[in-house]
Amino acid sequence: SQQGEEDPQALSIQEGENATMNCSYKTSINNLQWYRQNSGRGLVHLILIRSNEREKHSGRLRVTLDTSKKSSSLLITASRAADTASYFCATDAGTGANNLFFGTGTRLTVIP
Amino acid sequence: NAGVTQTPKFQVLKTGQSMTLQCAQDMNHEYMSWYRQDPGMGLRLIHYSVGAGITDQGEVPNGYNVSRSTTEDFPLRLLSAAPSQTSVYFCASRWTSGPSGANVLTFGAGSRLTVL
């Protein structure tokens, strides 16, 4: 399987705290993406980091990538109740049809 | 712009029945795909298509058929449903992000299928 794994599986924090979730993957990649899924909804793209990048920011999101360890982390700063969702990493190996392979997800709960 | 539209949202089938999950996109995306989402398994790729008339298998294609006669539509067919196909199914289509053409997916809202 080309799936990655997220860690932790579930995370519960207080509003205002930072949330960090990690993703490990197995194959070489062209880029890695993070998606959010609200309960009962489809996935929504958050941020993309290419294999030659080490860190990327978008608003309250910070993503890092360590290709030598085949791992990435997503940091959400100053969390809000509306950030409650599941977060998935997805890898693009940059070969063939450039299919995305998703991790198992981290369930984040932000307590108001 | 409706994006990616999936129907039905919910469906209950009996073992052995057949059905088609519909997916349509209005963004003129060439690439479309189907994933299934199961607890603890994340999303797994079933089938994908890089354009009208072209389809290929993903990680878990057994028990599913697809066709792509138009750019807009990519239906997923279950010919003889089994309880193991109980899942939430997502259709997604792709645009490119940035000058090097990285691929970002737009997802439908999902179709929850229960096979008894």
Side-chain angles (χ1 to χ4, degrees):
Chain A
S1 169
Q2 299 184 46
Q3 273 193 321
E5 282 192 14
E6 268 109 327
D7 162 54
Q9 289 187 326
L11 179 61
S12 184
I13 59 174
Q14 296 289 329
E15 202 165 31
E17 293 181 337
N18 296 340
T20 299
M21 50 207 88
N22 304 296
C23 167
S24 59
Y25 57 91
K26 299 175 183 176
T27 63
S28 297
I29 60 170
N30 183 44
N31 66 78
L32 184 143
Q33 304 175 28
W34 286 89
Y35 287 76
R36 183 186 71 217
Q37 183 182 32
N38 289 94
S39 183
R41 310 291 286 271
L43 281 74
V44 175
H45 177 254
L46 293 176
I47 192 167
L48 177 152
I49 186 165
R50 301 181 194 281
S51 60
N52 61 354
E53 298 175 314
R54 291 296 167 258
E55 187 171 312
K56 200 161 183 182
H57 297 253
S58 176
R60 293 185 297 113
L61 304 180
R62 172 180 167 246
V63 172
T64 62
L65 179 65
D66 186 334
T67 53
S68 67
K69 295 181 180 178
K70 291 188 169 57
S71 68
S72 174
S73 67
L74 172 68
L75 168 67
I76 303 173
T77 60
S79 64
R80 306 166 181 169
D83 295 328
T84 294
S86 292
Y87 292 82
F88 294 87
C89 67
T91 54
D92 177 357
T95 58
N98 295 101
N99 291 314
L100 286 186
F101 293 94
F102 285 81
T104 49
T106 293
R107 174 70 188 168
L108 173 66
T109 302
V110 181
I111 303 166
Chain B
N1 239 357
V4 178
T5 303
Q6 291 184 234
T7 57
K9 291 192 185 310
F10 302 95
Q11 183 71 48
V12 179
L13 290 178
K14 295 181 180 177
T15 296
Q17 286 185 317
S18 63
M19 78 156 300
T20 299
L21 298 177
Q22 301 290 346
C23 176
Q25 54 93 7
D26 60 1
M27 298 171 285
N28 204 31
H29 289 170
E30 289 295 320
Y31 176 99
M32 297 183 73
S33 56
W34 278 100
Y35 290 85
R36 59 177 289 173
Q37 184 176 32
D38 302 292
M41 300 291 290
L43 281 82
R44 291 180 292 170
L45 181 65
I46 305 172
H47 284 285
Y48 65 95
S49 168
V50 297
I54 306 169
T55 64
D56 208 343
Q57 297 180 348
E59 298 175 276
V60 288
N62 293 341
Y64 307 95
N65 276 355
V66 291
S67 60
R68 184 93 180 270
S69 56
T70 67
T71 299
E72 294 78 18
D73 300 300
F74 190 44
L76 179 72
R77 297 184 184 85
L78 286 72
L79 297 179
S80 179
S84 61
Q85 294 179 303
T86 294
S87 188
V88 181
Y89 291 85
F90 288 96
C91 180
S93 67
R94 191 170 71 196
W95 50 283
T96 57
S97 169
S100 68
N103 301 297
V104 174
L105 289 175
T106 300
F107 280 83
S111 297
R112 183 176 292 275
L113 175 66
T114 301
V115 183
L116 302 175

